[in-house]
Amino acid sequence: EDLPSNHIIRYDGVIRESKEAQDSLSASVPLVIGLIIILLVAQFNSFRRPLIILITIPLSFIGAVLGLLISGSNFGFMGTLGLYSLAGIIINNAIILIDRIDLEREMGKKIYDAIVSACQQRLRPIITTLTTTLGLLTLIIPHDPLFYGLANIIAYGLGVGTFLTLAVVPVLYSLMFKDKKILRKQS
């Protein structure tokens, strides 16, 4: 109403640019996931351990979706970056836990004892990722216009993802790996 005649406002440019940025990010996702899988398989010299790690990623997205719903924030380009960051942190937590379980088993512990010991020893390093949530409060509390969605995705995703990492990884590990039974020949 306040514009001179023959003048209009279009928001199309911002939407188009955001879509182009999303498409650019999405195009590289399969390559990045492939590289992550290759690195995990090379690190663990196994397919089962990387599978456990990759299963934890979608579980952390439960928290991300809850964060968007509870906060009422929008999912846009910054939210996508938040999901990628969240996945990296959750992958790191799962690697830390699985690596410790493997070390405990190498020391001769049975699988159950190795899992319990590893969870006790790695609880503090994994829980400290929740300090990131406290740092994100500086973006969440004032409803930062640019980073509000990203901050909520990472904060809620870390909260739920950390809990699920500590609960799901040990269960999956125990299901996928068994203690080796030593068969003795009877004399």
Side-chain angles (χ1 to χ4, degrees):
E1 296 176 1
D2 298 335
L3 294 175
S5 61
N6 298 327
H7 286 82
I8 60 171
I9 296 176
R10 286 193 187 175
Y11 298 101
D12 187 41
V14 173
I15 294 169
R16 184 175 30 85
E17 289 173 6
S18 179
K19 180 168 177 11
E20 288 172 2
Q22 288 275 28
D23 292 344
S24 175
L25 271 176
S26 299
S28 61
V29 168
L31 174 65
V32 171
I33 290 173
L35 288 172
I36 289 171
I37 292 170
I38 289 169
L39 288 172
L40 290 173
V41 169
Q43 177 182 353
F44 288 110
N45 198 23
S46 162
F47 288 104
R48 291 182 285 180
R49 288 171 183 87
L51 179 63
I52 294 169
I53 293 166
L54 293 174
I55 288 172
T56 62
I57 296 170
L59 295 176
S60 67
F61 291 171
I62 294 169
V65 171
L66 285 173
L68 289 173
L69 291 173
I70 291 170
S71 68
S73 50
N74 297 322
F75 183 77
F77 178 72
M78 297 303 285
T80 303
L81 293 179
L83 283 179
Y84 294 153
S85 301
L86 175 62
I89 296 168
I90 295 299
I91 286 172
N92 187 49
N93 286 348
I95 289 171
I96 288 171
L97 187 54
I98 289 174
D99 188 52
R100 188 64 206 185
I101 294 170
D102 288 341
L103 285 173
E104 295 290 326
R105 289 187 73 200
E106 286 174 10
M107 289 190 274
K109 292 185 179 178
K110 293 188 182 248
I111 193 163
Y112 176 78
D113 296 331
I115 289 172
V116 170
S117 179
C119 287
Q120 289 172 342
Q121 291 181 27
R122 293 298 183 226
L123 178 64
R124 188 178 303 154
I126 290 173
I127 292 287
T128 56
T129 60
L130 295 178
T131 58
T132 305
T133 303
L134 297 176
L136 290 168
L137 288 177
T138 60
L139 300 173
I140 293 172
I141 292 171
H143 291 328
D144 184 84
L146 185 59
F147 297 109
Y148 186 65
L150 174 139
N152 279 297
I153 285 172
I154 295 175
Y156 283 89
L158 271 178
V160 172
T162 298
F163 171 74
L164 290 175
T165 297
L166 289 168
V168 173
V169 169
V171 170
L172 290 175
Y173 192 97
S174 67
L175 291 173
M176 291 189 180
F177 295 94
K178 303 289 180 201
D179 281 325
K180 294 178 180 141
K181 295 182 181 179
I182 301 172
L183 300 174
R184 297 182 188 174
K185 293 183 180 179
Q186 292 182 347
S187 309

